[in-house]
Amino acid sequence: MDLLSQLRGQIADFSAFLHREGFVDDQFTQLQKLRDESSPGFVVEVVSLFFEDCEKLVNNMAKALEQQIVDFKQVDSHVHQLKGSSSSIGAARIHNVCIAFKTCCEDQNRDGCVRCLQQVNHECIQLKNNLQTLFKLEQQIIAAGGSIPAMQ
Amino acid sequence: MESCNCIEPQWPAEELLMKYQYISDFFIALAYFSIPLELIYFVKKSSVFPYRWVLVQFGAFIVLCGATHLINLWTFGMHSRTVAVVMTTSKVLTAVVSCATALMLVHIIPDLLSVKTRELFLKNKAAELDREMGLIRTQEETGRHVRMLTHEIRSTLDRHTILKTTLVELGRTLALEECALWMPTRTGLELQLSYTLRQQNPVGYTVPIQLPVINQVFSSNRAMKISPNSPVARIRPIAGKYMPGEVVAVRVPLLHLSNFQINDWPELSTRRYALMVLMLPSDSARQWHVHELELVEVVADQVAVALSHAAILEESMRARDLLMEQNVALDHARREAETAIRARNDFLAVMNHEMRTPMHAIIALSSLLQETELTPEQRLMVETILKSSNLLVTLINDVLDLSRLEDGSLQLDLGTFNLHAVFWEVLNLIKPVASVKKLHVTLNLAQDLPECVIGDEKRLMQTTLNVVGNAVKFSKEGSISITAFVAKSESLRDSRAPDFFPVISDDHFYLRVQVKDSGQGINPQEIPKLFTKFAQTQTLATRNSSGSGLGLAICKRFVNLMEGHIWIESEGLGKGCTVIFIVKLCIPERSNESKSPLLPKANHGQSSFPGLKVLVLDDNGVSRMVTQGLLAHLGCDVTAVSSSDECLHMVSQEHKVLFIDVCMPDGFEAAVRLHEKFTKRHERPLIVALAGNTDKVTKENCMRVGMDGVILKPVSVDKMRSVLSDLLEHWVLFDSM
């Protein structure tokens, strides 16, 4: 039981950390609520899908921005997509960056866009790492025989 | 021989002797003849004599004897034969009659003698009757006296008059020299001379009650003769050589109300007696007769009865006066109470109105303020203002309707609400105050604490806030911890709540909240007083606190209304205290209610919308997946499509709801095409838009294409739940932002 409570404590602290730092927000918590017996890996699935999507979009946007004449509309639509996805899973930081990104697109500010894109990429990687840590902890807890606690 | 018919006498006729015989016979004959005459004469006179024929017989006998002796007169000389024959005849007759008479007399004389005896007897009887007659007359006279006395006595109900009249009448009837009444004093140890006949003002003359003569008189209800020298009889100064008359004393029972029995006088030893002393005139050689004694005894009893009547009357008059006084006082008190109540009600009505008007203004304007453009900080402030105002309005309603609360006519406003949110709000409200005092507040909600419950949200929040507020108020430093969990049956049956019998069942549970503070604590003896309204404990009063003393009393009533129990535990002063309350909350029902269950996550698999067919149209994969998962979690049968063509292809009458992400380019188009496909409203599914923002343009567009509702993304589980339930209930949803 000691290990379990330790793990639980760890996961609680980590979740609190993620929330505090703004990596995830309430929507992520809502997402976690959808995890149940019929779909235990729901969150993992959605998150994986998101990251796949994210990667694809980032690549597309990078390609688009590398062009001589940047098709801002397309970039904008990609950013729109990313914004929607990130808000769906509660990736708060990415979402905020997307908002800024959108403004740059509207301003047709290429450098700004590039910068934003880099930021997006950075955030994506960070979030991915963080969530992987989180999922690992969860698996450890399940392996230790406990159930994953709800987050605040 | 010459025989002459002469009878020769036997003897020679001596002249003297013959002469004497001659005379004697003559007189005897006379006597003999006169006796019957006398007899006849007297018998004729008296008519009662029963033996007439005896007299006749006797008369005949005497007449014949006389005749014989008369005829004998002629036999002294020479008498003829005729004479001799006559003489012989008469003698024979006489002999016959006298023998018959003698025989008769044997029978008659005893009778005659008994007549005499009877006469004697009658005489005696007559004398006796005379005597008795005399007695009866005396008694009748006594009775008359008594009746007259009684009448006099009873004609008044005044004690003094009764006694005075008694003495006067007795004195008159019996011709007494002196008559006195000795009453027992209050202490009961002495007899005091209270009334006398002749002396006008009896001096306060007392004798101890334990004198033998007095005891003797008191021990029997007869009138007794006592010595004239005894202390009770020496009332008047003895005037020298006169011989004092006989004295009689009798007891007069003094009866109380409680002494009355129906059949006889009770013989209790604790009865009080008065002593009546009657003195015959001195030097009169009169003696007390029995009938006089009897008269005295009867009078004494009558006096006792009359006195008790007087006493009863006195008491009843007193009681009646007392009752009247009490009535008047009660009436007055009632009128005062009515006035007070009216005044209070007027005051309450006025204050009610006066207090509510500004509160309404505050609430209304804060709500309006909320609608305007505000920075997040400002919004937070306005929300806090609104929440506090709402709480205050509720508090006003409760305080001013305190009587309703106490009557038990107050009812809870039951509704579904989020239990966790209540505690978080309380925490948020209390945090500013706590942080000012540098108190650390922690909230622990148990894992299995349901979120969605049915109960009175406002009152629960008020109670919790009050309790937590008290904890903050009375702690100068340290920490406050709030714990809330579902009470298990062991913890429910607390020794501190002996008459609390909770019933566990499926549709409700008992919430147990513990608020522990590290403040100044409470003396365990004062704990019961805390829940009394307006009562302040000493420690509270000296602390100069601003509590009105009403808070905990109201909390207790709310908790009781929620079928719960509240109590305080404290180790003592300076050791902090814990307030614990248990209330009953209901779990919303599953199938028919529009609100979905609050079961903890472990228990899923049930939801409000089993098999509800919905369609999700979203071109963003992640979003689509999230929405699909959300709806699946709620038990719906979800189909997700990514283009409007696919959507129209898949949609059917079985689908009840269609969620369209209007951020996608052909979202609105899909809605339009859907309307074209299903012309009748009941055939097509409800269309709800998932929008990224809620500005007017989006709303207008949605309404233009005929959407049934708009939801702001991102959607939480609860939000989706309430949306679905609203949709299915009302078939329209336009305020779900």
Side-chain angles (χ1 to χ4, degrees):
Chain A
M1 273 310 125
D2 224 9
L3 174 66
L4 205 55
S5 44
Q6 197 187 19
L7 286 172
R8 282 220 181 96
Q10 274 184 332
I11 216 177
D13 288 340
F14 192 61
S15 303
F17 161 72
L18 290 180
H19 276 87
R20 246 197 333 268
E21 296 295 314
F23 286 109
V24 291
D25 62 14
D26 271 342
Q27 180 59 19
F28 189 68
T29 319
Q30 288 292 326
L31 212 65
Q32 290 190 308
K33 281 193 187 162
L34 299 180
R35 173 183 45 215
D36 51 27
E37 277 158 21
S38 64
S39 49
F42 180 71
V43 183
V44 178
E45 278 171 26
V46 173
V47 167
S48 327
L49 182 61
F50 169 74
F51 284 123
E52 272 176 37
D53 224 20
C54 192
E55 249 184 73
K56 219 178 2 161
L57 286 169
V58 164
N59 286 340
N60 288 347
M61 280 192 277
K63 268 198 212 111
L65 285 170
E66 276 163 16
Q67 307 286 339
Q68 288 292 359
I69 307 165
V70 178
D71 185 359
F72 283 107
K73 274 227 172 53
Q74 209 189 12
V75 175
D76 188 65
S77 77
H78 288 320
V79 172
H80 183 82
Q81 281 260 19
L82 189 61
K83 187 164 131 220
S85 306
S86 60
S87 84
S88 288
I89 74 158
R93 277 199 183 181
I94 299 178
H95 182 83
N96 293 339
V97 175
C98 286
I99 295 173
F101 204 150
K102 234 180 171 204
T103 324
C104 293
C105 283
E106 277 156 26
D107 298 341
Q108 308 219 337
N109 180 352
R110 193 202 176 134
D111 290 331
C113 287
V114 168
R115 253 201 322 277
C116 284
L117 185 63
Q118 275 173 355
Q119 219 182 346
V120 163
N121 206 14
H122 173 75
E123 289 296 336
C124 269
I125 293 167
Q126 244 196 335
L127 187 63
K128 197 164 175 182
N129 291 339
N130 282 336
L131 288 182
Q132 268 173 357
T133 319
L134 188 70
F135 293 145
K136 240 193 232 115
L137 275 174
E138 284 180 356
Q139 276 173 347
Q140 277 180 336
I141 286 181
I142 291 176
S147 61
I148 303 168
M151 306 211 192
Q152 289 296 353
Chain B
M1 111 148 119
E2 191 156 299
S3 96
C4 61
N5 286 339
C6 311
I7 306 289
E8 291 287 333
Q10 303 279 45
W11 299 286
E14 289 182 348
E15 294 229 8
L16 199 65
L17 282 171
M18 271 199 348
K19 266 203 184 129
Y20 280 132
Q21 276 191 5
Y22 193 82
I23 292 167
S24 311
D25 272 334
F26 176 73
F27 274 113
I28 287 169
L30 199 68
Y32 274 149
F33 279 131
S34 57
I35 285 174
L37 286 171
E38 284 171 11
L39 275 174
I40 289 167
Y41 173 72
F42 281 118
V43 165
K44 268 230 165 90
K45 271 264 171 113
S46 97
S47 52
V48 272
F49 199 73
Y51 301 109
R52 276 207 199 163
W53 63 276
V54 170
L55 277 177
V56 166
Q57 211 173 3
F58 210 66
F61 160 67
I62 290 177
V63 161
L64 283 169
C65 273
T68 309
H69 280 285
L70 193 65
I71 294 167
N72 215 19
L73 283 178
W74 276 271
T75 58
F76 285 113
M78 294 279 279
H79 49 281
S80 63
R81 187 156 179 103
T82 324
V83 171
V85 168
V86 167
M87 178 79 199
T88 314
T89 317
S90 71
K91 268 197 180 159
V92 167
L93 276 176
T94 310
V96 167
V97 172
S98 51
C99 285
T101 310
L103 284 171
M104 203 54 60
L105 277 177
V106 172
H107 292 291
I108 296 298
I109 286 180
D111 273 352
L112 283 176
L113 281 178
S114 76
V115 164
K116 259 304 183 202
T117 320
R118 254 184 248 140
E119 197 187 311
L120 204 65
F121 179 67
L122 279 170
K123 223 191 247 160
N124 284 342
K125 262 289 186 216
E128 212 178 291
L129 277 170
D130 260 339
R131 267 202 307 276
E132 281 184 14
M133 202 46 172
L135 241 113
I136 289 173
R137 232 182 262 128
T138 325
Q139 277 183 348
E140 202 214 334
E141 218 168 282
T142 312
R144 243 186 314 118
H145 281 304
V146 168
R147 269 196 300 282
M148 184 253 306
L149 257 167
T150 311
H151 176 74
E152 290 291 332
I153 293 171
R154 302 275 206 99
S155 65
T156 168
L157 282 171
D158 175 39
R159 173 187 283 264
H160 296 284
T161 320
I162 289 173
L163 293 168
K164 214 56 181 145
T165 314
T166 311
L167 297 181
V168 164
E169 291 300 325
L170 265 179
R172 211 157 45 98
T173 310
L174 299 171
L176 300 171
E177 178 182 0
E178 181 60 88
C179 193
L181 189 70
W182 299 76
M183 301 279 281
T185 55
R186 266 192 205 290
T187 59
L189 297 173
E190 290 180 328
L191 284 179
Q192 186 180 29
L193 182 63
S194 315
Y195 303 93
T196 54
L197 184 56
R198 309 285 173 200
Q199 295 176 12
Q200 287 310 110
N201 298 321
V203 186
Y205 196 47
T206 60
V207 294
I209 209 170
Q210 291 300 332
L211 288 179
V213 60
I214 298 179
N215 280 338
Q216 198 189 10
V217 175
F218 281 176
S219 61
S220 137
N221 63 347
R222 320 255 1 198
M224 289 187 193
K225 294 206 185 91
I226 61 175
S227 154
N229 292 325
S230 59
V232 290
R234 270 193 276 119
I235 299 170
R236 311 213 313 167
I238 299 179
K241 37 199 160 99
Y242 291 108
M243 191 67 176
E246 287 196 349
V247 181
V248 150
V250 69
R251 73 174 189 190
V252 179
L254 296 173
L255 300 163
H256 295 285
L257 269 155
S258 51
N259 289 117
F260 277 102
Q261 304 285 330
I262 298 194
N263 294 324
D264 52 11
W265 304 118
E267 294 294 325
L268 299 167
S269 58
T270 54
R271 284 178 53 201
R272 305 193 326 151
Y273 300 105
L275 189 72
M276 196 152 55
V277 175
L278 305 142
M279 283 175 262
L280 287 176
S282 45
D283 250 17
S284 68
R286 241 182 76 187
Q287 293 231 323
W288 283 99
H289 299 287
V290 172
H291 69 267
E292 288 170 342
L293 292 179
E294 284 171 5
L295 174 72
V296 167
E297 284 162 23
V298 169
V299 167
D301 279 340
Q302 288 297 321
V303 165
V305 169
L307 283 178
S308 60
H309 285 185
I312 290 174
L313 184 73
E314 256 177 50
E315 276 219 33
S316 79
M317 297 285 288
R318 219 167 348 120
R320 197 190 62 166
D321 287 339
L322 197 65
L323 267 176
M324 271 179 47
E325 254 178 76
Q326 279 181 341
N327 258 356
V328 167
L330 272 174
D331 206 32
H332 188 64
R334 181 179 57 90
R335 257 179 280 129
E336 273 187 4
E338 276 178 8
T339 321
I341 289 175
R342 247 177 293 137
R344 183 198 77 172
N345 287 344
D346 288 342
F347 169 74
L348 285 182
V350 165
M351 285 306 292
N352 201 345
H353 184 258
E354 295 305 313
M355 278 208 237
R356 284 197 224 256
T357 316
M359 280 314 306
H360 281 314
I362 295 174
I363 292 175
L365 291 174
S366 312
S367 308
L368 282 179
L369 196 58
Q370 225 186 7
E371 300 281 321
T372 64
E373 280 288 329
L374 297 169
T375 70
E377 284 164 353
Q378 287 175 324
R379 188 168 284 280
L380 197 62
M381 286 187 223
V382 171
E383 276 175 9
T384 312
I385 293 176
L386 254 184
K387 277 191 217 142
S388 306
S389 318
N390 277 328
L391 272 176
L392 187 56
V393 162
T394 311
L395 191 62
I396 289 176
N397 287 337
D398 290 336
V399 167
L400 293 179
D401 292 335
L402 202 56
S403 59
R404 264 204 315 157
L405 207 60
E406 287 179 329
D407 285 345
S409 60
L410 190 80
Q411 299 205 323
L412 295 173
D413 294 329
L414 295 176
T416 314
F417 63 95
N418 186 337
L419 186 61
H420 291 230
V422 167
F423 289 108
W424 286 112
E425 265 196 56
V426 167
L427 188 68
N428 288 334
L429 283 170
I430 211 70
K431 258 203 188 130
V433 181
S435 60
V436 161
K437 290 178 99 168
K438 301 211 177 9
L439 295 168
H440 187 58
V441 185
T442 51
L443 171 64
N444 294 314
L445 301 177
Q447 302 283 15
D448 56 351
L449 196 65
E451 251 189 64
C452 196
V453 301
I454 296 181
D456 189 335
E457 182 187 8
K458 265 196 187 159
R459 305 258 160 76
L460 181 63
M461 172 137 31
Q462 198 179 333
T463 309
T464 318
L465 195 57
N466 196 308
V467 166
V468 172
N470 278 345
V472 166
K473 212 192 309 185
F474 295 116
S475 305
K476 284 194 203 160
E477 58 187 2
S479 68
I480 295 173
S481 83
I482 311 169
T483 332
F485 51 94
V486 174
K488 302 290 177 290
S489 47
E490 320 84 55
S491 62
L492 280 174
R493 271 180 254 110
D494 207 287
S495 58
R496 272 164 293 268
D499 32 281
F500 182 52
F501 299 111
V503 173
I504 318 277
S505 76
D506 272 345
D507 62 348
H508 60 258
F509 71 102
Y510 285 88
L511 166 72
R512 181 172 163 132
V513 177
Q514 284 172 203
V515 177
K516 185 165 161 54
D517 72 50
S518 60
Q520 50 168 184
I522 300 175
N523 198 341
Q525 276 127 358
E526 306 216 317
I527 288 182
K529 269 199 272 175
L530 286 169
F531 290 106
T532 331
K533 67 173 172 106
F534 301 127
Q536 294 246 7
T537 62
Q538 288 201 333
T539 44
L540 291 179
T542 52
R543 285 254 315 153
N544 201 19
S545 73
S546 59
S548 68
L550 212 50
L552 277 176
I554 291 188
C555 288
K556 186 175 163 91
R557 280 172 180 77
F558 286 152
V559 167
N560 285 339
L561 273 175
M562 294 194 227
E563 299 180 46
H565 189 76
I566 180 170
W567 70 95
I568 298 184
E569 293 170 19
S570 173
E571 316 243 326
L573 290 169
K575 299 202 177 96
C577 82
T578 312
V579 179
I580 305 166
F581 66 88
I582 301 180
V583 293
K584 179 172 150 183
L585 295 169
C586 292
I587 302 174
E589 281 186 24
R590 290 143 200 179
S591 42
N592 297 333
E593 288 272 344
S594 54
K595 308 295 178 191
S596 70
L598 43 67
L599 307 161
K601 282 191 263 300
N603 244 359
H604 90 117
Q606 302 156 1
S607 76
S608 306
F609 319 105
L612 179 72
K613 279 196 117 164
V614 295
L615 197 60
V616 174
L617 171 58
D618 193 339
D619 61 350
N620 185 321
V622 176
S623 289
R624 193 171 59 239
M625 191 168 181
V626 171
T627 314
Q628 188 177 8
L630 185 58
L631 289 165
H633 183 73
L634 294 176
C636 305
D637 180 3
V638 191
T639 320
V641 293
S642 53
S643 72
S644 58
D645 292 332
E646 220 182 319
C647 169
L648 284 161
H649 184 67
M650 296 286 289
V651 79
S652 70
Q653 280 193 12
E654 290 174 352
H655 291 104
K656 294 280 180 254
V657 189
L658 169 61
F659 289 95
I660 302 182
D661 181 343
V662 294
C663 298
M664 63 187 244
D666 51 353
F668 291 118
E669 189 199 322
V672 171
R673 283 166 74 180
L674 204 70
H675 271 282
E676 285 166 15
K677 183 169 179 180
F678 298 100
T679 44
K680 296 206 201 16
R681 194 191 157 112
H682 68 270
E683 285 175 2
R684 66 164 171 80
L686 296 164
I687 310 176
V688 179
L690 297 165
N693 58 15
T694 63
D695 59 9
K696 275 198 148 188
V697 177
T698 318
K699 268 197 201 168
E700 273 174 21
N701 287 339
C702 290
M703 287 175 75
R704 202 161 33 80
V705 297
M707 300 231 175
D708 298 302
V710 186
I711 310 180
L712 180 64
K713 283 208 296 191
V715 191
S716 68
V717 179
D718 296 328
K719 182 92 193 140
M720 184 58 88
R721 215 183 269 137
S722 72
V723 161
L724 281 176
S725 59
D726 273 345
L727 265 180
L728 294 173
E729 216 177 291
H730 301 124
W731 291 86
V732 82
L733 182 77
F734 256 108
D735 56 350
S736 63
M737 300 304 177

